[in-house]
Amino acid sequence: MKKILVILLSVISINLLAQNKFSTRGLIISLDEKLRVTSIHGDREYLPENADCYMVRLKIGEEILLPESTRWKDNTVTVFFNRYTNVLLSIEELDKYLKIEVLEVNDDNRIDVLFYGPFPVIMDETIGEIVGVVREDGYALGIQSLNAKTTGGKLVNPDGSDPSRGTTATEEDYGSSLQAYCINRNKDREYAIWNNSIPDVYIPANPDGKLEGSAIAIFGCREPEVLKVIEKIELEQGLPHSTINGKWSKISPDANKPYLITTFREDNIDEIIEYTKRLGYNAFYHGHPFSTWGHFELIKEQFPNGWDGMKKCVEKAKEKGLRAGVHTLTNFITTNDPFVSPAPDDKLMVFCRTTLNRDLSEKDNEIYINDPEGYDYKNTNQALMIGNEIIRFSGVSKDKPYRLLDCQRGQYGTIASSYRAGTEIARLVDHPYKVFFPNWKLQKEMIINLADFFNYTGVGQLDFDGHEGGWGTGEGEYGMDYFSEQLQKQVNHELRNGSSRSNHYYWHTVSYINWGEPWYGGFTKSQGHYRYQNQALLKRNYIPNMLGWFLLNESTTLQEFEYMLARSAGYDAGYALYSMLEDMKKNPEFDQIAEAVNTWEEARLKKIFNDNQLMQLQDVNNDFSLKKISEDEFVLQYYDKKYFELLNLPVQPGQPNDVSVDFEVSEEKKFYFVIGATGESGSITNINIDYNGYATYTIPAELKPNWSITYRGDDKILVYDEAGRLKTNLDFEEESIVLGEGANNIRVSADFSRDADIKLQGYIRLKGKTVRIPL
C-alpha cells in the first residue's frame, strides 16, 4: 500500500512539474508552485543565480503582494496572494511566444497595480529600452504588451506617466530586466498626474482600463528573427500594425524617407507639389493648418473651402504620387475651440475641486471657496470652470475665509453668471501652449473628430506632437497609447506617423520618430549632437532612423545641405526639411541643392557605401559631396578640414594674437572657411586671414555671440546670425584665395571687444581624395 502511495505521489509531482514548464520555439520558462520563475532558458540559462522573480505581483496601497500558492487547470492558473485576493491567469504556449493574460480578478476594487516580472536576465550586450528586447551573442529575449492598458516598463508615477524614453528593458547590475504592468483603472483614484506635476486629481473609474484582459507576450529567438516574431505577435494578437505602401513600417524603405514641411494652401498647392517633386520627396506636410484643436477647423485664409479645400489638395498630391500630411498636437484643445468657447464642455480635464462658500454674482471678482488645497499651484492659464463659465484668477488668500483673488470673469468667450453656495468649482488642466485637455470621455470624441478629418480629406501623415498630452487625462502612458492606437484604427487608410515621445506600446503604431528641431542655428549647430545620439537609440529599438527637422531658408548653402546629407546616408536616416515656398524660390543654390538631395537619397536607398565609408559619413567632422556620373557609378568627394580656435587672451606688447594652420597640398587648390564666434557676450571685429606671410585679407564684419561667416572660394563672404539667418552678403573683391602646391600656412587673427566672453572658432576646408563607387 505504501509503495502504491509513493508511486502516486511521484506521478503527481511529475505532473505538477510538467504543468510549470512552458516552452515555445526558442524559449523555455519554468515556474514553481508559487509562480516564481526558476529558469529562463534559450540558447542557455539566462536567469541570474539567486534571482527572486515572479510571473506576476500585485500592489495594494503601498504593499507589494507576492503569490502564496497556485491552483492549476490545463493552461490556466489561479494565483492566491492572500485569503482575499486571487487572480486567474492563462499561460498559452504558441508557436514563437508565450502569452500571459489576466482572465479574472476577484478583488479588483482593492488592487492598484498588477506587475509582470520584472524578469531578470544575464544579458547586456544590446538593450532595447523601448521595444523591450535584449540581445547577446546572437540571441534575443523580448517582452511585448498586448494591449494599450498594459504598459511596458517600470511604474515611476502613480498615474503611469513616464518621462523617460523607455524602461521596458533596463540595464541592471546582473545584466538586464524586462518588465510591464497594468494599473487597475476600473476604480476611483486620486493622485498627482503628468509626471507627478499636477496635484490632487480625481479620476473616476474607467472600465476601459480594468485588469481583466491585460496581457503580455514573452519570446526568445535568434537575433535576426526578432522583427519576424514581433510582426507575428502583432498580426495574431490584433495589435497596431502600421504599414507604408502596404509594407510593415519597421522594414519599409518608405517609412523613413525625407519629407517637406511647409505651408501649403489651396492657392499654392500646385507649386508645392512641383517643389516637392524637384526635391525627390514623396510627401509634404503642413506645419500649422488648424485654427482650432479639438474640432480641427482649418485656417480660413489658407483653406477658404475648409475640409473640401484640403481634400482637393490631397487629391492633387495623390495624382502626382505624393502623400500629404498635417500637424497638430494630439489632444491639446485650443481656447477658441467649441469644446471651450462659448461654453466649456463639462468633460474638460479638471483638478483641485472645491465648492463655493458663498453665493457668487456675475460681477464678483473674489470667489469664496471651502477648500484652498491646490489653488496656490501655478499653471499657465490659471483657469477654473464653474457651470458654463471659465474664470481666471491670480491666487488664493492665505487666511480664512479662503478667497480666489483677482478673478477675471467670463473668459474665452464664456459668460459670467451667478451661482449658489455649494456649487462645485474646479481648476482646468492646462499647458504652457495655453491650451486645455480632455478627460477620458472627451478624448474619445477628439479621436473621432480627428479621424473624421483624415477620412474625409484623405490626409495620410501626421505627428503625434505633444503626445504626452495623453497624460492630461490622468491615465498616463495609457492615455498616450490609446489615442494613437484608436486614431490609426479609425482612419480608413494608411497613416504614416511619428511622435514627440517614445514608449513601448506606441512602438507598434509609429512609422518613425523624428527628433531634432531646426531653430537654433543652422544645419551644423541646431541640436546637432542630440540628433546623432538618437541614431543609436533608434537602431537598438528597431525604429527607422530619422535625423529630425532641418531649416532651408533663402541663404542655406549647398555645402551646409551636403553636411546633413552625408549624415543621412551614414546613418541610413531620413529627415524633415522645413522650408517655405518663398525661401525655396529665393535660394540661389536651390537647383544644386535639389540635385544633391536626389543623388544622396538614391545612394542611401541603393546602399552603395561600404561599412568603412558609412562610419566616415557618420563622423560630423568630415565633409563630403557626391556626384552621379552615370547610371552605374557615383563619385564621393572627400574634403580635408583643419579646425582652429582663437581665445581672447592677453599677449605681450607687439605680439599678435593669432592662430596658425598648415596645409601640404599636391596641387593648387581653392579653399573654403567657416569662422564663428562662440560665447555669451561681446563681439569680434577685424578678422584677418594672413596667407603664406605675404597677403592679408580683412573681413569687414562684426561677429556677435554665435554669429558666423562663410567663404566658399568665390567673390562673396556671407555673414549669419545666431539662428543661421543670412545678415550680410559682402563682396569679396580679391581673387579667390588659392593654396599653391607644397607647404602653405594660414594665420587667423581678430580683435575682441573689451571684457568679451567669447572666442573665435572655425575650420578651413579644401578638396581631398575622390572615390569612385560603381553599382
Side-chain angles (χ1 to χ4, degrees), residues 21-25 27-29 92-95 97-98:
K21 182 176 289 188
F22 296 89
S23 64
T24 184
R25 190 181 304 177
L27 178 67
I28 301 173
I29 292 181
E92 190 174 359
E93 297 172 305
L94 298 168
D95 178 37
Y97 58 96
L98 301 176

Side-chain angles (χ1 to χ4, degrees), residues 34-66:
K34 291 186 177 182
L35 223 65
R36 180 187 283 113
V37 179
T38 58
S39 174
I40 300 176
H41 197 281
D43 283 2
R44 55 191 175 90
E45 181 58 56
Y46 288 103
L47 187 70
E49 292 184 11
N50 303 316
D52 193 22
C53 164
Y54 292 82
M55 180 65 75
V56 293
R57 299 173 296 137
L58 298 181
K59 185 174 186 287
I60 297 179
E62 297 304 314
E63 184 181 6
I64 298 295
L65 301 183
L66 303 177

Side-chain angles (χ1 to χ4, degrees), residues 621-666:
N621 294 311
N622 296 333
D623 282 3
F624 303 88
S625 60
L626 184 69
K627 299 292 183 184
K628 183 179 180 182
I629 60 174
S630 73
E631 287 302 314
D632 300 318
E633 192 170 28
F634 291 78
V635 172
L636 182 63
Q637 173 68 61
Y638 288 69
Y639 292 90
D640 294 328
K641 292 169 70 175
K642 291 200 175 180
Y643 290 84
F644 59 84
E645 180 175 89
L646 183 64
L647 304 178
N648 182 19
L649 297 175
V651 294
Q652 295 291 334
Q655 177 185 349
N657 183 19
D658 62 11
V659 62
S660 177
V661 181
D662 294 313
F663 276 101
E664 183 81 27
V665 297
S666 59

Side-chain angles (χ1 to χ4, degrees), residues 151-421:
T151 302
K154 295 182 176 181
L155 179 68
V156 296
N157 287 306
D159 65 335
S161 59
D162 184 352
S164 75
R165 289 185 170 180
T167 58
T168 308
T170 54
E171 182 179 5
E172 307 293 344
D173 290 342
Y174 47 76
S176 59
S177 73
L178 304 166
Q179 50 266 322
Y181 64 88
C182 182
I183 294 174
N184 180 16
R185 303 182 187 276
N186 194 29
K187 59 183 290 190
D188 295 345
R189 292 152 285 147
E190 186 170 351
Y191 41 51
I193 67 168
W194 200 302
N195 193 29
N196 213 32
S197 65
I198 302 176
D200 306 318
V201 184
Y202 170 77
I203 301 130
N206 179 357
D208 293 335
K210 63 184 179 181
L211 293 175
E212 285 87 353
S214 172
I216 64 167
I218 302 175
F219 67 90
C221 63
R222 303 303 303 167
E223 187 172 350
E225 300 298 311
V226 168
L227 285 179
K228 292 181 181 179
V229 173
I230 295 179
E231 184 176 26
K232 183 179 179 67
I233 292 171
E234 284 187 2
L235 295 173
E236 291 182 353
Q237 299 301 323
L239 273 62
H241 186 69
S242 174
T243 62
I244 305 293
N245 296 326
K247 194 167 187 177
W248 190 32
S249 61
K250 299 304 179 293
I251 57 175
S252 169
D254 294 322
N256 68 338
K257 279 189 174 179
Y259 56 96
L260 175 66
I261 300 177
T262 190
T263 299
F264 65 87
R265 308 184 304 266
E266 290 183 47
D267 62 2
N268 76 356
I269 184 63
D270 294 322
E271 287 185 291
I272 293 295
I273 289 172
E274 175 197 343
Y275 274 80
T276 305
K277 296 288 284 186
R278 286 174 66 181
L279 287 163
Y281 299 162
N282 64 1
F284 58 87
Y285 181 98
H286 198 304
H288 180 53
F290 297 111
S291 60
T292 75
W293 297 334
H295 285 76
F296 304 102
E297 299 168 4
L298 291 165
I299 296 172
K300 194 71 173 176
E301 293 76 15
Q302 298 176 9
F303 299 94
N305 294 298
W307 286 16
D308 286 321
M310 175 66 78
K311 182 178 182 180
K312 185 68 174 178
C313 292
V314 172
E315 289 172 347
K316 283 189 172 184
K318 285 183 178 178
E319 289 173 1
K320 301 295 184 179
L322 302 179
R323 181 190 304 267
V326 297
H327 183 266
T328 185
L329 269 89
T330 310
N331 68 346
F332 288 33
I333 301 175
T334 51
T335 57
N336 64 334
D337 189 82
F339 283 140
V340 176
S341 179
D345 194 292
D346 63 4
K347 298 184 291 297
L348 290 172
M349 190 64 185
V350 299
F351 70 112
C352 296
R353 299 169 186 265
T354 187
T355 53
L356 295 182
N357 183 267
R358 301 181 185 180
D359 290 350
L360 178 67
S361 79
E362 68 272 15
K363 295 182 179 179
D364 290 335
N365 62 6
E366 286 191 340
I367 299 176
Y368 289 81
I369 59 173
N370 285 308
D371 184 0
E373 185 175 354
Y375 280 84
D376 57 349
Y377 169 81
K378 298 293 185 182
N379 62 6
T380 300
N381 293 326
Q382 287 289 108
L384 52 86
M385 182 168 63
I386 180 171
N388 287 327
E389 182 183 357
I390 295 177
I391 301 169
R392 299 181 72 184
F393 68 103
S394 65
V396 63
S397 66
K398 296 183 183 300
D399 56 325
K400 291 184 177 181
Y402 296 115
R403 310 174 307 284
L404 300 179
L405 307 174
D406 304 316
C407 296
Q408 301 173 25
R409 304 295 301 277
Q411 296 293 290
Y412 308 116
T414 65
I415 298 174
S417 302
S418 299
Y419 308 94
R420 302 299 298 270

Side-chain angles (χ1 to χ4, degrees), residues 68-185:
E68 293 183 351
S69 62
T70 56
R71 184 173 63 234
W72 292 85
K73 183 179 180 182
D74 299 326
N75 68 329
T76 65
V77 55
T78 303
V79 188
F80 298 92
F81 293 87
N82 55 38
R83 60 178 179 165
Y84 308 108
T85 308
N86 60 73
V87 175
L88 178 64
L89 300 176
S90 71
I91 304 178
E92 190 174 359
E93 297 172 305
L94 298 168
D95 178 37
K96 293 190 176 181
Y97 58 96
L98 301 176
K99 178 182 177 182
I100 298 92
E101 182 177 7
V102 178
L103 300 181
E104 293 179 11
V105 179
N106 82 318
D107 198 17
D108 65 343
N109 198 44
R110 293 181 69 241
I111 299 171
D112 292 306
V113 187
L114 181 144
F115 296 98
Y116 298 94
F119 301 100
V121 290
I122 52 171
M123 304 171 71
D124 62 3
E125 183 179 306
T126 305
I127 299 173
E129 62 268 55
I130 302 169
V131 69
V133 178
V134 295
R135 287 96 85 189
E136 187 169 285
D137 297 332
Y139 180 80
L141 187 69
I143 186 173
Q144 294 290 291
S145 299
L146 297 185
N147 42 54
K149 66 184 175 183
T150 306
T151 302
K154 295 182 176 181
L155 179 68
V156 296
N157 287 306
D159 65 335
S161 59
D162 184 352
S164 75
R165 289 185 170 180
T167 58
T168 308
T170 54
E171 182 179 5
E172 307 293 344
D173 290 342
Y174 47 76
S176 59
S177 73
L178 304 166
Q179 50 266 322
Y181 64 88
C182 182
I183 294 174
N184 180 16
R185 303 182 187 276

